Structure formats: structure tokens, C-alpha cells
Amino acid sequence: MSTLDSIYSDQLEGIYDSPTHAEGAKGELPLTEEILRTRPSGDMFGMTLNAGMGWEPSELANDGVMMISTLAGIRSTDGSPKALALHTGGYELGVQLEAAAEVLRENHKLPYATFVSDPCDGRTQGTIGMFDSLPYRNDAAVVFRRLIRSLPTRKGILGVASCDKGLPATMMALASQHDYPVCLCPGGSTLMPVNHGKCDPGEDAGTIQTIGARFAYNEISLEYARRQGCRACASAGGGCQFLGTAGTSQVVSEGLGLAITHSALAPSGTKIWEDVARASARALLTQMDKGITAKDIITEASVRNAMIIHAAFGGSTNLLLHIPAIAFEAGVKRPTVDDWAEVNKAVPRLVSVMPIGPVHYPTSMAFMAGGVPEVMLILRKYFPGLLDESVMTATGQTLGENLDWWENSERRQLVRQHLKETTGVDADEIIKTPEAAKAAGMTSTVTFPKGNIAPEGSVVKSTAIDPRAISEDGFYRHTAPCKVYPSEKAAMKAIKEHEVVPGDIMIVLGVGPKGTGMEETYQLTSALKKVPEGYKIALITDARFSGVSTGACFGHVGPEALAGGPIGKLRDGDVVEIIVDTNALEGSLNFIGTDPENPISYEEGAAILAERETDPRVKEDDDLPDDTRLWAALQDVSGGTWQGCVYDTDKIVEAINAGKKALAEN
């Protein structure tokens, strides 16, 4: 029997009676003489296509609104899956899109929906799939922009997204639409499983990523791993329950003014989450009526506001890559490492959530405690003038007007009341005043050490360094001969074989953009937690970290090793000095020679490193896709990590032309 016979074995009765013609849509297109004589043929052909899809023909001259989203999977009307998405974050977004589309149609607009689904950083941890994670962001933003421009009749753009790379990509695309009304609808947060006690606590999606390591160290049983792994995602939608990159991107979108007041982190699948989509659509309509556009919303002042909110929430360090990229697309000044340091020194951390606590409340509870506007109210009261309240926002009002509304709104009272009634937790236990935060031991989140190892800068989530490693004066100090590993694979092997011991400083190279697409190394940071007294081990790398990572881990070291950065010149046994003042939020990473008893000056260390060759073991990963190699080259020319890993077309074209000229001359 032919293979084709088996392929077509389930033949249905009547399938060969298929028609080749049909009546087509009833009615008439709303064409006028002016349209026929003056408009491009694409406008009229678009109407024909829309009628063919079943839209009421008489409405086809209405203003078009483009909805872009990271929707993925195939979801039945009852919520059951026909095909899975790569993560929950994209799976339920269709519900929000439908809600937004209904509002647009009710207001005589013509909604269109296009999708660029996104990968899952959790799913690709420790795999070569991670090599595509950050590059995806740029490429998705490009595709989104191409799709937006493919609707020439658009009058506004609504984005609906929720997770680590898809949400920054969506914001980059919206920010680039300078002359159009734009609004971002955040896709909310996954619900936590119910806590049934010590034997069945209900773990979040961050801790569940460590079940393999915990089982290997005999901390949990096979049965426990099976059960908790099954129930960790207690709803089918939303970003992870901790304030990782997904949650941080959502609060930053609201801080930018790109998302409406009290929209970030809504509990997925709930009525209030669905209503956020309706409200976002109404906000876009308001902008269209008032003539407000993206360039009115995303300004240098609103970018700074977003950085302030990032600091107040204690957000993921990955936003150091995404906020500059959004600013670049908006055509405004990109923040520098010094700008980040200044903001983080000025802004206390006020929100107690996973993964750094001190109490590990899920992000859905932070939403019910009042979310971003509640944090903004506290900042306004205790630090007058810190936030620029004059900035325009997606609501069609200024930030100050939004906060005036929130302070006395029924919405604020009801969500905080509901939180107390259903969980027993007072909203003020989650979102704190500066005094209460200080009393709870909460410190500002991020420090940006420089030095002869990291002349362009690095980042450490200093509030997440184990308190046992911090002295009474608030300093983390660690000086030791380093152990150098040319890849994450080599570093993981060393940890598993007990080569890495307390007191070590690990240097992991070649995992920046050029080596691996700047992979996340949560595999490393979580593994170090399982090493006895692992808090005494430090990690320095040109990679980035998951938003759930904690510990004495220094990432984003620039320049990266494969770009000739001095981190790539370090050798086994070189003495490295780490100093972090967790109170003043200042720090340094320096090579101080090869003899711990006779340290050399930072300047002498810099000179020695400058003379050395890059570690010959450092190279592109053998599995690095050509797509990511191209991305790495383009972002390197465009300014690299601390400029947001963007595509700066002018710089890229200049470099290509210079290269072509040099090749011709040779």
C-alpha cells in the first residue's frame, strides 16, 4: 500500500463534492466616487478582503485599528487546549483581544489582529533554545513594525502581550509609531496554586525550575516533584508569579505611561483582567479623539519615570536591556549605566514580592494591593518631584491627573479591601512606605559596579546577595584567585563535579551576545544555591540573569569577552577584588594581580589586561545559530549591551560601507 493511501485513509463522505464557487458576501462596499478616483487600489482591495472574511460591508470605511499580540496556542471556547503555546503568557491573550475588539467595534472602528508569538525563557533554560531568546526581541519588533505598516489605513495601534521578550518587543514596536495613538494592554500574571501546608505548599514557576537540582541533592522526593511540577501554574495565562522579566516589563509599561493606570499584573483569566483589555481599548479611542500619539507619551521624562518604577518594585535586571531599546525606538535619549545608578540610589524598594521578598507575595497580590499607581502615590507623598507628573499617558491624561483619580477611586478601595478579605493580608504589607520598607530590611535593588574588569559597567541585584555574606557596615567584599570557565556548560560541569567550593570567584566567559546571544544563566545561579555554603561563591559573567536569579552574581559585564573586553583576559589564579556597598549602591570589579599578598593598583591591573590576548578557549558556541550571529554583529555595531542591544540602522550602514570600502582597497 502506498504511504499516501494511509495518509488519506480517514476519508469522509462527500469530501469530493467540494464547490469551486460561492455567492460571496451580501451587500455593497461603502465606496464613493472620491474613493474610487483618488485612493490607492490597496484600500479598495482591503475592503474586498474584509467583506470576504465576513465583516458587515457597510462598516468597511470605518477607521482601522491594528491590534498586535504575542497570542499563541489554539484554545477552545471552553479553555481547553487544541494546541499548546510555548508558555501560559501567550495562551489566554485571545480573551483580552476579543474584549478589546468588541469595544472597538462598538465604537465604529475596524479592528485587525496580527500575532508574533514568543518563546519561553523558562522552557529554554540550559538549552541552546536560549540562544534565540534576546535576539527574538529585536526580530519580533521588526516583524510587528512590518505588520503595522502593512495596514496603511490604521489610525491607532493596541498591543497585548505579557512575557519576557514578547512584551519588550511589543513596547519597542509601539514606541516606534511616533505619529500614531498607541496603548499597551499587559497580559497579567499567572495565579498561584493554593498552599495546602508543608507537604503540599504550592510552588511558583520560579522555584519549580529548581526541582531537578533539589532532587539531585535529596531535598525533595520524586512524588513531591511530580505533584508540585504539575500544579505550579494555577491558571492558563499570564506571566510568571514572581517579579521576573515578565512582571517587571508590565510594571515598566505602566511606568512609561504606555499602559493605563492599574493595568499591570492583573490576575489572569479573571473579570478584572479581561476588563483591563476593554479599558485599554477605550483609552486608545480617547487618544484618537484627542490627537495624542506615541511621541507625546514616550519622552525622556517618561523613560525616567519607568526607571523609577523599576527601582521601587525591585525589578529584573533584564530591563536594563529593554528600557534603552524602547527609548531608542521612541527617538529619545537612552539611559546610561550612570543614569541607572543615579536612579537606584534615589529610589527605595517598596514592594515585597517574589523572588526577593522579604515576604514572597505573588505579583497578582501586588496588583490587588494597588499595583503601580499605589507605588506612585507613595513616591509622590514621600519624594515630591521625583516622578514627573506632567507627562502624558495612554489614558489621555497626565500622570498627575491619573494619580489624583486613583487616590480617591472606588477601584482602589475595592481591590485593597478584596485582598484583605480573601487572603488576610493588608495591602500595606505588600506595598510599603519608605519607613516600613526600611524596618523590614528592604534595600534598593541594583548596583552597577565598574572597574578594570568591567569598564562599561556590570550589574548585581545587591539586595538579593545573601545577608550572611554582607558585613555589618553593609558591604559585600570578596577577594580571591578566580576560576575561569569559557562557557556555561564548563561552569555547570565544574559545579556538578564539586570543583567550585565556598570562597571561589567564578568567571564565566563567552556567554554575551557574540558567544551565545547573551543567554540567561539561571541554571548557574540556581545551581550555586545547592552547593553547601554556596552564598560564599561569587559569579562574574558577560551573560545576563533570569529575573528570578539571586546571589552574589554580577552580569552584563561590558565589553563582553568576544568583543575584546578585559573580562576575557582573565586567567585561572588571577586575583579578583569585588566590593559592593549595598547602602550607597556603589561597587567595583577589579583585577589586582596574581599574588593575594601583594595586590597591584587598579591602573596597573588595567594595563596588564590590555596587553593580554583574550582567552583562546573563548569562542562562539558551536550551536550558535547563524540568525543569532547576525543579530550579535548588528547589535555590537549599534552600541552593544549597555545601549540596549538594538539595531541602529545608521551605524550599521556606516560600518558596512566602511567595510566594503576597506575590502575594495585591499
Side-chain angles (χ1 to χ4, degrees), residues 331-355:
V332 302
K333 176 182 175 290
R334 285 176 274 182
T336 65
V337 63
D338 294 327
D339 295 329
W340 282 106
E342 177 196 347
V343 166
N344 277 269
K345 288 177 183 177
V347 182
R349 182 166 66 92
L350 303 175
V351 186
S352 180
V353 291
M354 302 172 183

Side-chain angles (χ1 to χ4, degrees), residues 321 504 628:
L321 297 166
D504 281 347
T628 300

Side-chain angles (χ1 to χ4, degrees), residues 213-489:
R214 283 184 285 158
F215 180 76
Y217 277 85
N218 298 314
E219 292 183 10
I220 58 174
S221 67
L222 176 59
E223 292 73 23
Y224 181 91
R226 286 173 170 173
R227 177 62 185 142
Q228 297 307 315
C230 187
R231 64 192 295 258
C233 291
S235 63
C240 292
Q241 305 104 325
F242 52 86
L243 196 75
T245 308
T248 307
S249 295
Q250 292 191 35
V251 300
V252 160
S253 73
E254 201 174 320
L256 274 170
L258 198 54
I260 64 172
T261 303
H262 197 230
S263 60
L265 308 179
S268 72
T270 64
K271 291 182 179 179
I272 198 168
W273 166 84
E274 190 173 336
D275 191 60
V276 165
R278 295 190 184 92
S280 299
R282 294 188 197 104
L284 184 66
L285 292 169
T286 299
Q287 291 180 50
M288 292 167 67
D289 289 342
K290 291 185 174 183
I292 296 168
T293 68
K295 67 184 176 186
D296 300 314
I297 295 172
I298 305 180
T299 62
E300 191 171 329
S302 69
V303 169
R304 183 176 174 81
N305 282 350
M307 295 167 67
I308 290 168
I309 294 305
H310 176 271
F313 269 82
S316 164
T317 55
N318 279 318
L319 271 294
L320 275 64
L321 297 166
H322 302 321
I323 288 179
I326 294 164
F328 174 75
E329 296 297 345
V332 302
K333 176 182 175 290
R334 285 176 274 182
T336 65
V337 63
D338 294 327
D339 295 329
W340 282 106
E342 177 196 347
V343 166
N344 277 269
K345 288 177 183 177
V347 182
R349 182 166 66 92
L350 303 175
V351 186
S352 180
V353 291
M354 302 172 183
I356 54 177
V359 180
H360 291 181
Y361 296 112
T363 48
S364 57
M365 289 179 68
F367 172 84
M368 299 307 291
V372 174
E374 195 66 27
V375 172
M376 287 181 164
L377 278 187
I378 293 172
L379 292 174
R380 176 162 79 168
K381 178 180 179 180
Y382 289 90
F383 304 94
L386 180 64
L387 288 168
D388 189 330
E389 296 184 42
S390 69
V391 296
M392 181 53 62
T393 71
T395 66
Q397 297 185 144
T398 65
L399 176 59
E401 291 171 324
N402 293 342
L403 294 181
D404 291 342
W405 168 81
W406 174 257
E407 189 166 18
N408 300 301
S409 69
E410 183 182 40
R411 184 182 181 92
R412 181 190 182 206
Q413 295 171 1
L414 291 178
V415 293
R416 288 164 63 88
Q417 178 183 329
H418 178 75
L419 175 70
K420 181 69 172 180
E421 291 174 351
T422 57
T423 68
V425 177
D426 192 275
D428 295 338
E429 295 178 39
I430 301 174
I431 299 176
K432 300 176 180 291
T433 64
E435 294 95 332
K438 186 175 182 180
M442 296 168 64
T443 59
S444 295
T445 310
V446 182
T447 302
F448 301 90
K450 289 187 175 182
N452 62 30
I453 293 173
E456 288 182 357
S458 67
V459 62
V460 60
K461 194 179 283 188
S462 46
T463 192
I465 297 175
D466 193 299
R468 292 173 293 179
I470 297 175
S471 61
E472 290 185 3
D473 60 359
F475 274 78
Y476 173 81
R477 299 181 179 91
H478 193 165
T479 300
C482 66
K483 293 179 178 177
V484 180
Y485 302 97
S487 68
E488 185 193 34
K489 298 182 185 74

Side-chain angles (χ1 to χ4, degrees), residues 464-541:
I465 297 175
D466 193 299
R468 292 173 293 179
I470 297 175
S471 61
E472 290 185 3
D473 60 359
F475 274 78
Y476 173 81
R477 299 181 179 91
H478 193 165
T479 300
C482 66
K483 293 179 178 177
V484 180
Y485 302 97
S487 68
E488 185 193 34
K489 298 182 185 74
M492 281 299 300
K493 183 173 183 290
I495 292 172
K496 290 178 178 179
E497 294 181 354
H498 306 284
E499 178 184 312
V500 180
V501 297
D504 281 347
I505 295 177
M506 298 180 68
I507 309 293
V508 183
L509 306 173
V511 280
K514 286 190 168 186
T516 64
M518 202 177 187
E519 63 183 324
E520 280 187 356
T521 55
Y522 181 57
Q523 198 183 202
L524 281 178
T525 58
S526 62
L528 287 175
K529 287 181 171 296
K530 302 306 165 189
V531 176
E533 296 190 293
Y535 71 93
K536 295 181 179 178
I537 300 170
L539 169 65
I540 302 175
T541 179

Side-chain angles (χ1 to χ4, degrees), residues 637 648-661:
V637 170
D648 186 325
T649 302
D650 290 339
K651 288 184 177 179
I652 292 168
V653 171
E654 180 183 357
I656 290 173
N657 287 337
K660 288 168 65 177
K661 182 179 179 181

